[in-house]
Amino acid sequence: MLCRETLKINQAGHLEIGGCDTVDLAKQYGTPLYVMDEAYIRNVCAGYTATLDSVYPDYKVCYASKAFSTKAIYTIMREEGLGADVVSGCELKTALAGGMDADSIYFHGNNKLPEELAEAVKAGVHAVVIDSFYEMTLLNEIAAQKNKRQSVMVRVNPGIDAHTHHFVQTSRVDSKFGFSIADGTAQKAIETIGTFENLSFIGIHCHIGSQIFELKPFELAVEKMTDFMVALGKVGIPVAELNMGGGYGVTYTEEDKPLEPRQYAEAIAKKVKACCAEKNLLEPHLVLEPGRSIVGEAGITLYTVGAIKEIKDIKKYIAVDGGMFENPRYALYRSKYDAVLANRMSDSAEETVTVAGKCCESGDMLIEDIRLPKAQSGDLLAILTTGAYHYSMAGHYNRNPIPPVVLVRDGRSDYMVKPESYERIMELDTYPVWIKKR
């Protein structure tokens, strides 16, 4: 287990996070339970900003909302000097409700809805990141209706293979995201924007993938993006902002060897400076969009062990009170995790087991073949690095409530997201007029 000052084994032999005993958290809030470590989140944010302050002062770090979006997380981001990127109308509304300044928000997405674009223009977001010709036409019409001129960036595809799972590679030539530099559509898109009266082009954006452990793909992307800036300059199009996206890796298991967040930021910033100097470019305003690297390792999920089933000479299952409804990543990506028995941290691992969820699906697994102490019904299982893409991807499969989220710091705990009741899940149900209510 990857320990730190705010995630460690306490004197009772229990897992402790943010100064709170996880056994006590489970008793107070129940399980399954998402737990987020505030001090860790703030430390990562400060690492990004301190690094860029010294290396590349003309910058903005924008939190990638899709990793984990709640009002409280945006408040924390704002307090740490970060902006946000959002990809839906509700993420935008949540960011604003959390106190995020609209001018610090970038609106992304490959198929933004008309009502979402209208909300973005109305709010005054810093930029809408254009992802299609259809979108630029639609956005221009909406901005004209509101008598506004909307700043836009263009998402471009530099063609970098970041060697991640193919479902999370977003910058290959064959991608639903962005305009390709190689086939000329990126330049054509930017030139087309120049023909719209209510759009103002300010820069280019790319995002080459997720869970990237190396610096080389990012440096190659900077090379490609600054080459493209040179090409745009030759046709009289200045690039004021360069958004290099995110994708920085985190540790899920011992196999993962990510760099520290500040190392990604430093390498990208230094490469931008070097490329601009070499290619005689004015240094653009640099934007980075970390998400998982800020909240991923900050989160754990607590479960209670229930049924235990052993199939002789084949496999042993331990079932927990969560599953694919609150963590669909294994079902989607076969994502790997580390886990511990949080109430028995001093016990030695004795057996290899598979952690199963409670959903009515044979594929509802959370971890396969992990070494743990011999589990008993009632034990507290903690799965680590669940702060990103867990709550945000959770659903109501089998009508299971999405677990609450608790924030911990200095021995204190409180809800970031309150628990759902069965009644809350059912409250939008209704009866068509031809169905007789009993």
Side-chain angles (χ1 to χ4, degrees), residues 294-337:
I294 293 176
V295 295
E297 293 180 31
I300 65 172
T301 306
L302 301 178
Y303 305 89
T304 300
V305 176
I308 297 174
K309 177 181 180 179
E310 185 166 9
I311 305 172
K312 189 176 181 181
D313 299 327
I314 298 180
K315 187 171 285 190
K316 184 172 185 178
Y317 294 94
I318 63 170
V320 296
D321 50 356
M324 62 191 295
F325 67 94
E326 47 74 29
N327 178 7
R329 293 187 71 251
Y330 179 83
L332 289 172
Y333 312 128
R334 291 295 185 265
S335 299
K336 295 182 179 180
Y337 292 92

mmCIF file of all heavy atoms in Angstrom, residues 294-337:
data_model
loop_
_atom_site.group_PDB
_atom_site.id
_atom_site.type_symbol
_atom_site.label_atom_id
_atom_site.label_comp_id
_atom_site.label_asym_id
_atom_site.label_seq_id
_atom_site.Cartn_x
_atom_site.Cartn_y
_atom_site.Cartn_z
ATOM 1 N N ILE A 294 -5.072 14.943 -9.396
ATOM 2 C CA ILE A 294 -5.396 15.744 -8.220
ATOM 3 C C ILE A 294 -6.237 14.954 -7.220
ATOM 4 O O ILE A 294 -5.973 14.963 -6.016
ATOM 5 C CB ILE A 294 -6.134 17.038 -8.626
ATOM 6 C CG1 ILE A 294 -5.188 17.950 -9.419
ATOM 7 C CG2 ILE A 294 -6.667 17.785 -7.400
ATOM 8 C CD1 ILE A 294 -5.854 19.215 -9.938
ATOM 9 N N VAL A 295 -7.243 14.242 -7.721
ATOM 10 C CA VAL A 295 -8.196 13.609 -6.796
ATOM 11 C C VAL A 295 -8.111 12.085 -6.751
ATOM 12 O O VAL A 295 -8.672 11.472 -5.842
ATOM 13 C CB VAL A 295 -9.649 14.013 -7.138
ATOM 14 C CG1 VAL A 295 -9.852 15.502 -6.929
ATOM 15 C CG2 VAL A 295 -10.025 13.605 -8.561
ATOM 16 N N GLY A 296 -7.429 11.461 -7.717
ATOM 17 C CA GLY A 296 -7.430 10.004 -7.787
ATOM 18 C C GLY A 296 -6.937 9.331 -6.519
ATOM 19 O O GLY A 296 -7.663 8.573 -5.859
ATOM 20 N N GLU A 297 -5.690 9.610 -6.151
ATOM 21 C CA GLU A 297 -5.110 8.982 -4.969
ATOM 22 C C GLU A 297 -5.644 9.577 -3.675
ATOM 23 O O GLU A 297 -5.431 9.014 -2.597
ATOM 24 C CB GLU A 297 -3.583 9.073 -5.026
ATOM 25 C CG GLU A 297 -2.974 8.249 -6.143
ATOM 26 C CD GLU A 297 -1.456 8.341 -6.195
ATOM 27 O OE1 GLU A 297 -0.824 8.512 -5.119
ATOM 28 O OE2 GLU A 297 -0.882 8.247 -7.297
ATOM 29 N N ALA A 298 -6.350 10.690 -3.774
ATOM 30 C CA ALA A 298 -6.960 11.293 -2.587
ATOM 31 C C ALA A 298 -8.139 10.486 -2.081
ATOM 32 O O ALA A 298 -8.562 10.648 -0.934
ATOM 33 C CB ALA A 298 -7.408 12.717 -2.891
ATOM 34 N N GLY A 299 -8.700 9.627 -2.932
ATOM 35 C CA GLY A 299 -9.929 8.928 -2.576
ATOM 36 C C GLY A 299 -9.733 7.457 -2.278
ATOM 37 O O GLY A 299 -8.887 6.782 -2.877
ATOM 38 N N ILE A 300 -10.500 6.951 -1.331
ATOM 39 C CA ILE A 300 -10.627 5.522 -1.094
ATOM 40 C C ILE A 300 -12.123 5.206 -1.005
ATOM 41 O O ILE A 300 -12.946 6.107 -0.789
ATOM 42 C CB ILE A 300 -9.919 5.047 0.192
ATOM 43 C CG1 ILE A 300 -10.589 5.660 1.445
ATOM 44 C CG2 ILE A 300 -8.437 5.405 0.162
ATOM 45 C CD1 ILE A 300 -10.062 5.085 2.752
ATOM 46 N N THR A 301 -12.472 3.935 -1.192
ATOM 47 C CA THR A 301 -13.855 3.514 -1.004
ATOM 48 C C THR A 301 -13.887 2.398 0.029
ATOM 49 O O THR A 301 -13.095 1.452 -0.054
ATOM 50 C CB THR A 301 -14.479 3.024 -2.326
ATOM 51 O OG1 THR A 301 -14.321 4.041 -3.319
ATOM 52 C CG2 THR A 301 -15.961 2.742 -2.138
ATOM 53 N N LEU A 302 -14.778 2.544 0.991
ATOM 54 C CA LEU A 302 -14.913 1.569 2.075
ATOM 55 C C LEU A 302 -16.121 0.674 1.823
ATOM 56 O O LEU A 302 -17.190 1.149 1.441
ATOM 57 C CB LEU A 302 -15.080 2.280 3.420
ATOM 58 C CG LEU A 302 -13.937 3.214 3.841
ATOM 59 C CD1 LEU A 302 -14.271 3.889 5.163
ATOM 60 C CD2 LEU A 302 -12.619 2.445 3.952
ATOM 61 N N TYR A 303 -15.936 -0.623 2.051
ATOM 62 C CA TYR A 303 -16.981 -1.622 1.864
ATOM 63 C C TYR A 303 -17.024 -2.553 3.070
ATOM 64 O O TYR A 303 -16.005 -2.769 3.735
ATOM 65 C CB TYR A 303 -16.703 -2.498 0.639
ATOM 66 C CG TYR A 303 -16.486 -1.794 -0.664
ATOM 67 C CD1 TYR A 303 -15.209 -1.378 -1.065
ATOM 68 C CD2 TYR A 303 -17.539 -1.570 -1.541
ATOM 69 C CE1 TYR A 303 -15.001 -0.758 -2.281
ATOM 70 C CE2 TYR A 303 -17.341 -0.948 -2.769
ATOM 71 C CZ TYR A 303 -16.069 -0.541 -3.127
ATOM 72 O OH TYR A 303 -15.861 0.073 -4.334
ATOM 73 N N THR A 304 -18.178 -3.154 3.277
ATOM 74 C CA THR A 304 -18.306 -4.222 4.270
ATOM 75 C C THR A 304 -18.347 -5.559 3.547
ATOM 76 O O THR A 304 -19.104 -5.735 2.578
ATOM 77 C CB THR A 304 -19.581 -4.049 5.115
ATOM 78 O OG1 THR A 304 -19.505 -2.791 5.797
ATOM 79 C CG2 THR A 304 -19.718 -5.173 6.131
ATOM 80 N N VAL A 305 -17.528 -6.493 4.010
ATOM 81 C CA VAL A 305 -17.508 -7.832 3.433
ATOM 82 C C VAL A 305 -18.761 -8.588 3.870
ATOM 83 O O VAL A 305 -19.126 -8.575 5.053
ATOM 84 C CB VAL A 305 -16.246 -8.608 3.862
ATOM 85 C CG1 VAL A 305 -16.285 -10.049 3.333
ATOM 86 C CG2 VAL A 305 -14.987 -7.886 3.372
ATOM 87 N N GLY A 306 -19.422 -9.214 2.910
ATOM 88 C CA GLY A 306 -20.620 -9.999 3.204
ATOM 89 C C GLY A 306 -20.379 -11.467 2.940
ATOM 90 O O GLY A 306 -19.610 -12.126 3.643
ATOM 91 N N ALA A 307 -21.005 -11.983 1.884
ATOM 92 C CA ALA A 307 -20.892 -13.406 1.567
ATOM 93 C C ALA A 307 -19.478 -13.768 1.123
ATOM 94 O O ALA A 307 -18.798 -12.992 0.456
ATOM 95 C CB ALA A 307 -21.889 -13.769 0.464
ATOM 96 N N ILE A 308 -19.042 -14.961 1.529
ATOM 97 C CA ILE A 308 -17.750 -15.495 1.114
ATOM 98 C C ILE A 308 -18.001 -16.861 0.481
ATOM 99 O O ILE A 308 -18.655 -17.720 1.079
ATOM 100 C CB ILE A 308 -16.786 -15.614 2.304
ATOM 101 C CG1 ILE A 308 -16.508 -14.210 2.889
ATOM 102 C CG2 ILE A 308 -15.481 -16.285 1.876
ATOM 103 C CD1 ILE A 308 -15.683 -14.217 4.152
ATOM 104 N N LYS A 309 -17.512 -17.036 -0.744
ATOM 105 C CA LYS A 309 -17.788 -18.277 -1.486
ATOM 106 C C LYS A 309 -16.487 -18.836 -2.031
ATOM 107 O O LYS A 309 -15.759 -18.144 -2.753
ATOM 108 C CB LYS A 309 -18.758 -17.998 -2.632
ATOM 109 C CG LYS A 309 -19.052 -19.204 -3.508
ATOM 110 C CD LYS A 309 -20.017 -18.821 -4.641
ATOM 111 C CE LYS A 309 -20.332 -20.014 -5.523
ATOM 112 N NZ LYS A 309 -21.281 -19.644 -6.604
ATOM 113 N N GLU A 310 -16.214 -20.077 -1.699
ATOM 114 C CA GLU A 310 -14.998 -20.731 -2.185
ATOM 115 C C GLU A 310 -15.369 -21.890 -3.094
ATOM 116 O O GLU A 310 -16.141 -22.781 -2.711
ATOM 117 C CB GLU A 310 -14.140 -21.227 -1.027
ATOM 118 C CG GLU A 310 -12.812 -21.798 -1.472
ATOM 119 C CD GLU A 310 -11.830 -21.987 -0.336
ATOM 120 O OE1 GLU A 310 -12.230 -21.839 0.841
ATOM 121 O OE2 GLU A 310 -10.653 -22.268 -0.630
ATOM 122 N N ILE A 311 -14.837 -21.861 -4.302
ATOM 123 C CA ILE A 311 -15.001 -22.965 -5.242
ATOM 124 C C ILE A 311 -13.688 -23.746 -5.220
ATOM 125 O O ILE A 311 -12.660 -23.252 -5.692
ATOM 126 C CB ILE A 311 -15.319 -22.451 -6.658
ATOM 127 C CG1 ILE A 311 -16.548 -21.545 -6.623
ATOM 128 C CG2 ILE A 311 -15.539 -23.616 -7.620
ATOM 129 C CD1 ILE A 311 -16.832 -20.839 -7.928
ATOM 130 N N LYS A 312 -13.710 -24.916 -4.649
ATOM 131 C CA LYS A 312 -12.498 -25.681 -4.368
ATOM 132 C C LYS A 312 -11.627 -25.828 -5.611
ATOM 133 O O LYS A 312 -12.095 -26.183 -6.695
ATOM 134 C CB LYS A 312 -12.859 -27.057 -3.826
ATOM 135 C CG LYS A 312 -11.649 -27.838 -3.308
ATOM 136 C CD LYS A 312 -12.058 -29.159 -2.686
ATOM 137 C CE LYS A 312 -10.827 -29.904 -2.163
ATOM 138 N NZ LYS A 312 -11.184 -31.212 -1.565
ATOM 139 N N ASP A 313 -10.347 -25.511 -5.421
ATOM 140 C CA ASP A 313 -9.327 -25.634 -6.455
ATOM 141 C C ASP A 313 -9.542 -24.683 -7.644
ATOM 142 O O ASP A 313 -8.867 -24.825 -8.673
ATOM 143 C CB ASP A 313 -9.235 -27.075 -6.982
ATOM 144 C CG ASP A 313 -8.866 -28.075 -5.899
ATOM 145 O OD1 ASP A 313 -8.106 -27.695 -4.996
ATOM 146 O OD2 ASP A 313 -9.359 -29.217 -5.962
ATOM 147 N N ILE A 314 -10.487 -23.758 -7.509
ATOM 148 C CA ILE A 314 -10.733 -22.812 -8.615
ATOM 149 C C ILE A 314 -10.584 -21.368 -8.158
ATOM 150 O O ILE A 314 -9.692 -20.652 -8.594
ATOM 151 C CB ILE A 314 -12.131 -23.043 -9.244
ATOM 152 C CG1 ILE A 314 -12.207 -24.457 -9.838
ATOM 153 C CG2 ILE A 314 -12.408 -21.985 -10.324
ATOM 154 C CD1 ILE A 314 -13.528 -24.783 -10.472
ATOM 155 N N LYS A 315 -11.444 -20.906 -7.272
ATOM 156 C CA LYS A 315 -11.428 -19.489 -6.902
ATOM 157 C C LYS A 315 -12.182 -19.275 -5.606
ATOM 158 O O LYS A 315 -13.101 -20.022 -5.270
ATOM 159 C CB LYS A 315 -12.060 -18.639 -8.015
ATOM 160 C CG LYS A 315 -11.958 -17.130 -7.812
ATOM 161 C CD LYS A 315 -12.409 -16.364 -9.041
ATOM 162 C CE LYS A 315 -11.369 -16.434 -10.132
ATOM 163 N NZ LYS A 315 -11.682 -15.493 -11.246
ATOM 164 N N LYS A 316 -11.782 -18.222 -4.897
ATOM 165 C CA LYS A 316 -12.506 -17.796 -3.698
ATOM 166 C C LYS A 316 -12.988 -16.368 -3.909
ATOM 167 O O LYS A 316 -12.211 -15.479 -4.265
ATOM 168 C CB LYS A 316 -11.623 -17.876 -2.459
ATOM 169 C CG LYS A 316 -12.359 -17.546 -1.163
ATOM 170 C CD LYS A 316 -11.506 -17.818 0.063
ATOM 171 C CE LYS A 316 -12.291 -17.599 1.350
ATOM 172 N NZ LYS A 316 -11.459 -17.910 2.540
ATOM 173 N N TYR A 317 -14.278 -16.174 -3.696
ATOM 174 C CA TYR A 317 -14.888 -14.855 -3.829
ATOM 175 C C TYR A 317 -15.202 -14.285 -2.455
ATOM 176 O O TYR A 317 -15.724 -14.990 -1.586
ATOM 177 C CB TYR A 317 -16.206 -14.947 -4.601
ATOM 178 C CG TYR A 317 -16.092 -15.344 -6.042
ATOM 179 C CD1 TYR A 317 -16.227 -16.675 -6.428
ATOM 180 C CD2 TYR A 317 -15.871 -14.393 -7.041
ATOM 181 C CE1 TYR A 317 -16.150 -17.051 -7.764
ATOM 182 C CE2 TYR A 317 -15.793 -14.757 -8.376
ATOM 183 C CZ TYR A 317 -15.924 -16.088 -8.730
ATOM 184 O OH TYR A 317 -15.848 -16.451 -10.043
ATOM 185 N N ILE A 318 -14.901 -13.003 -2.281
ATOM 186 C CA ILE A 318 -15.453 -12.274 -1.144
ATOM 187 C C ILE A 318 -16.327 -11.170 -1.734
ATOM 188 O O ILE A 318 -15.886 -10.415 -2.605
ATOM 189 C CB ILE A 318 -14.376 -11.718 -0.189
ATOM 190 C CG1 ILE A 318 -13.480 -10.683 -0.868
ATOM 191 C CG2 ILE A 318 -13.526 -12.840 0.383
ATOM 192 C CD1 ILE A 318 -12.569 -9.949 0.106
ATOM 193 N N ALA A 319 -17.570 -11.134 -1.316
ATOM 194 C CA ALA A 319 -18.518 -10.162 -1.864
ATOM 195 C C ALA A 319 -18.649 -8.976 -0.924
ATOM 196 O O ALA A 319 -18.633 -9.130 0.307
ATOM 197 C CB ALA A 319 -19.878 -10.823 -2.079
ATOM 198 N N VAL A 320 -18.785 -7.787 -1.514
ATOM 199 C CA VAL A 320 -18.921 -6.570 -0.722
ATOM 200 C C VAL A 320 -20.234 -5.887 -1.073
ATOM 201 O O VAL A 320 -20.934 -6.280 -2.005
ATOM 202 C CB VAL A 320 -17.734 -5.614 -0.961
ATOM 203 C CG1 VAL A 320 -16.438 -6.245 -0.487
ATOM 204 C CG2 VAL A 320 -17.636 -5.208 -2.432
ATOM 205 N N ASP A 321 -20.574 -4.862 -0.293
ATOM 206 C CA ASP A 321 -21.866 -4.192 -0.452
ATOM 207 C C ASP A 321 -21.866 -3.115 -1.534
ATOM 208 O O ASP A 321 -22.812 -2.341 -1.658
ATOM 209 C CB ASP A 321 -22.347 -3.607 0.876
ATOM 210 C CG ASP A 321 -21.296 -2.772 1.594
ATOM 211 O OD1 ASP A 321 -20.144 -2.693 1.117
ATOM 212 O OD2 ASP A 321 -21.623 -2.211 2.656
ATOM 213 N N GLY A 322 -20.807 -3.048 -2.344
ATOM 214 C CA GLY A 322 -20.761 -2.163 -3.494
ATOM 215 C C GLY A 322 -20.733 -2.980 -4.772
ATOM 216 O O GLY A 322 -21.224 -4.097 -4.823
ATOM 217 N N GLY A 323 -20.133 -2.413 -5.806
ATOM 218 C CA GLY A 323 -20.047 -3.128 -7.070
ATOM 219 C C GLY A 323 -20.003 -2.180 -8.240
ATOM 220 O O GLY A 323 -19.642 -1.005 -8.110
ATOM 221 N N MET A 324 -20.411 -2.681 -9.404
ATOM 222 C CA MET A 324 -20.285 -1.896 -10.625
ATOM 223 C C MET A 324 -21.182 -0.669 -10.642
ATOM 224 O O MET A 324 -20.961 0.242 -11.436
ATOM 225 C CB MET A 324 -20.581 -2.777 -11.840
ATOM 226 C CG MET A 324 -21.958 -3.360 -11.897
ATOM 227 S SD MET A 324 -22.142 -4.627 -13.180
ATOM 228 C CE MET A 324 -21.914 -3.675 -14.661
ATOM 229 N N PHE A 325 -22.139 -0.569 -9.755
ATOM 230 C CA PHE A 325 -22.970 0.637 -9.714
ATOM 231 C C PHE A 325 -22.215 1.820 -9.149
ATOM 232 O O PHE A 325 -22.526 2.972 -9.467
ATOM 233 C CB PHE A 325 -24.270 0.383 -8.927
ATOM 234 C CG PHE A 325 -24.083 0.121 -7.456
ATOM 235 C CD1 PHE A 325 -24.157 1.137 -6.522
ATOM 236 C CD2 PHE A 325 -23.855 -1.174 -6.997
ATOM 237 C CE1 PHE A 325 -23.998 0.897 -5.170
ATOM 238 C CE2 PHE A 325 -23.703 -1.433 -5.644
ATOM 239 C CZ PHE A 325 -23.762 -0.399 -4.727
ATOM 240 N N GLU A 326 -21.223 1.579 -8.287
ATOM 241 C CA GLU A 326 -20.448 2.700 -7.748
ATOM 242 C C GLU A 326 -18.998 2.702 -8.234
ATOM 243 O O GLU A 326 -18.267 3.649 -7.996
ATOM 244 C CB GLU A 326 -20.500 2.730 -6.207
ATOM 245 C CG GLU A 326 -20.253 1.415 -5.504
ATOM 246 C CD GLU A 326 -18.813 0.971 -5.500
ATOM 247 O OE1 GLU A 326 -17.928 1.839 -5.537
ATOM 248 O OE2 GLU A 326 -18.582 -0.248 -5.480
ATOM 249 N N ASN A 327 -18.589 1.641 -8.925
ATOM 250 C CA ASN A 327 -17.291 1.621 -9.582
ATOM 251 C C ASN A 327 -17.387 0.753 -10.835
ATOM 252 O O ASN A 327 -17.140 -0.454 -10.789
ATOM 253 C CB ASN A 327 -16.189 1.084 -8.674
ATOM 254 C CG ASN A 327 -14.832 1.030 -9.388
ATOM 255 O OD1 ASN A 327 -14.705 1.507 -10.515
ATOM 256 N ND2 ASN A 327 -13.854 0.452 -8.737
ATOM 257 N N PRO A 328 -17.747 1.362 -11.971
ATOM 258 C CA PRO A 328 -17.870 0.593 -13.207
ATOM 259 C C PRO A 328 -16.559 0.418 -13.966
ATOM 260 O O PRO A 328 -16.537 -0.161 -15.046
ATOM 261 C CB PRO A 328 -18.848 1.439 -14.031
ATOM 262 C CG PRO A 328 -18.544 2.838 -13.606
ATOM 263 C CD PRO A 328 -18.190 2.756 -12.136
ATOM 264 N N ARG A 329 -15.452 0.901 -13.419
ATOM 265 C CA ARG A 329 -14.214 0.934 -14.192
ATOM 266 C C ARG A 329 -13.660 -0.455 -14.493
ATOM 267 O O ARG A 329 -13.054 -0.667 -15.542
ATOM 268 C CB ARG A 329 -13.155 1.787 -13.494
ATOM 269 C CG ARG A 329 -13.517 3.272 -13.437
ATOM 270 C CD ARG A 329 -12.380 4.119 -12.896
ATOM 271 N NE ARG A 329 -11.281 4.203 -13.836
ATOM 272 C CZ ARG A 329 -10.108 3.612 -13.685
ATOM 273 N NH1 ARG A 329 -9.876 2.873 -12.595
ATOM 274 N NH2 ARG A 329 -9.161 3.732 -14.587
ATOM 275 N N TYR A 330 -13.849 -1.415 -13.585
ATOM 276 C CA TYR A 330 -13.374 -2.758 -13.906
ATOM 277 C C TYR A 330 -14.195 -3.335 -15.057
ATOM 278 O O TYR A 330 -13.643 -3.931 -15.995
ATOM 279 C CB TYR A 330 -13.448 -3.690 -12.697
ATOM 280 C CG TYR A 330 -12.978 -5.089 -13.034
ATOM 281 C CD1 TYR A 330 -11.625 -5.395 -13.037
ATOM 282 C CD2 TYR A 330 -13.877 -6.071 -13.416
ATOM 283 C CE1 TYR A 330 -11.180 -6.661 -13.399
ATOM 284 C CE2 TYR A 330 -13.451 -7.340 -13.778
ATOM 285 C CZ TYR A 330 -12.101 -7.630 -13.764
ATOM 286 O OH TYR A 330 -11.663 -8.872 -14.137
ATOM 287 N N ALA A 331 -15.497 -3.159 -15.006
ATOM 288 C CA ALA A 331 -16.352 -3.682 -16.068
ATOM 289 C C ALA A 331 -16.041 -3.023 -17.410
ATOM 290 O O ALA A 331 -16.096 -3.664 -18.462
ATOM 291 C CB ALA A 331 -17.818 -3.478 -15.707
ATOM 292 N N LEU A 332 -15.684 -1.741 -17.385
ATOM 293 C CA LEU A 332 -15.401 -1.005 -18.616
ATOM 294 C C LEU A 332 -14.003 -1.263 -19.155
ATOM 295 O O LEU A 332 -13.810 -1.459 -20.352
ATOM 296 C CB LEU A 332 -15.582 0.493 -18.377
ATOM 297 C CG LEU A 332 -17.001 1.004 -18.185
ATOM 298 C CD1 LEU A 332 -16.961 2.470 -17.778
ATOM 299 C CD2 LEU A 332 -17.811 0.845 -19.461
ATOM 300 N N TYR A 333 -13.002 -1.200 -18.262
ATOM 301 C CA TYR A 333 -11.608 -1.178 -18.691
ATOM 302 C C TYR A 333 -10.756 -2.316 -18.138
ATOM 303 O O TYR A 333 -9.572 -2.377 -18.434
ATOM 304 C CB TYR A 333 -10.922 0.132 -18.247
ATOM 305 C CG TYR A 333 -11.653 1.400 -18.530
ATOM 306 C CD1 TYR A 333 -11.878 2.331 -17.516
ATOM 307 C CD2 TYR A 333 -12.097 1.718 -19.807
ATOM 308 C CE1 TYR A 333 -12.526 3.524 -17.760
ATOM 309 C CE2 TYR A 333 -12.748 2.908 -20.071
ATOM 310 C CZ TYR A 333 -12.965 3.807 -19.042
ATOM 311 O OH TYR A 333 -13.608 4.983 -19.298
ATOM 312 N N ARG A 334 -11.341 -3.182 -17.297
ATOM 313 C CA ARG A 334 -10.550 -4.165 -16.539
ATOM 314 C C ARG A 334 -9.489 -3.447 -15.694
ATOM 315 O O ARG A 334 -8.349 -3.885 -15.565
ATOM 316 C CB ARG A 334 -9.893 -5.189 -17.460
ATOM 317 C CG ARG A 334 -10.887 -6.141 -18.125
ATOM 318 C CD ARG A 334 -11.579 -7.010 -17.074
ATOM 319 N NE ARG A 334 -12.453 -8.012 -17.647
ATOM 320 C CZ ARG A 334 -13.773 -7.869 -17.822
ATOM 321 N NH1 ARG A 334 -14.353 -6.723 -17.492
ATOM 322 N NH2 ARG A 334 -14.506 -8.833 -18.307
ATOM 323 N N SER A 335 -9.878 -2.325 -15.114
ATOM 324 C CA SER A 335 -8.956 -1.520 -14.320
ATOM 325 C C SER A 335 -8.501 -2.271 -13.072
ATOM 326 O O SER A 335 -9.292 -2.945 -12.416
ATOM 327 C CB SER A 335 -9.635 -0.207 -13.907
ATOM 328 O OG SER A 335 -9.994 0.534 -15.050
ATOM 329 N N LYS A 336 -7.230 -2.119 -12.748
ATOM 330 C CA LYS A 336 -6.653 -2.820 -11.606
ATOM 331 C C LYS A 336 -6.579 -1.898 -10.395
ATOM 332 O O LYS A 336 -6.365 -0.695 -10.527
ATOM 333 C CB LYS A 336 -5.258 -3.337 -11.957
ATOM 334 C CG LYS A 336 -5.267 -4.400 -13.042
ATOM 335 C CD LYS A 336 -3.855 -4.904 -13.320
ATOM 336 C CE LYS A 336 -3.857 -5.987 -14.385
ATOM 337 N NZ LYS A 336 -2.489 -6.495 -14.659
ATOM 338 N N TYR A 337 -6.728 -2.497 -9.222
ATOM 339 C CA TYR A 337 -6.702 -1.751 -7.961
ATOM 340 C C TYR A 337 -5.928 -2.517 -6.894
ATOM 341 O O TYR A 337 -5.785 -3.743 -6.973
ATOM 342 C CB TYR A 337 -8.127 -1.532 -7.428
ATOM 343 C CG TYR A 337 -8.976 -0.619 -8.255
ATOM 344 C CD1 TYR A 337 -9.800 -1.115 -9.256
ATOM 345 C CD2 TYR A 337 -8.956 0.754 -8.042
ATOM 346 C CE1 TYR A 337 -10.586 -0.278 -10.028
ATOM 347 C CE2 TYR A 337 -9.737 1.598 -8.803
ATOM 348 C CZ TYR A 337 -10.547 1.078 -9.792
ATOM 349 O OH TYR A 337 -11.314 1.917 -10.552
#
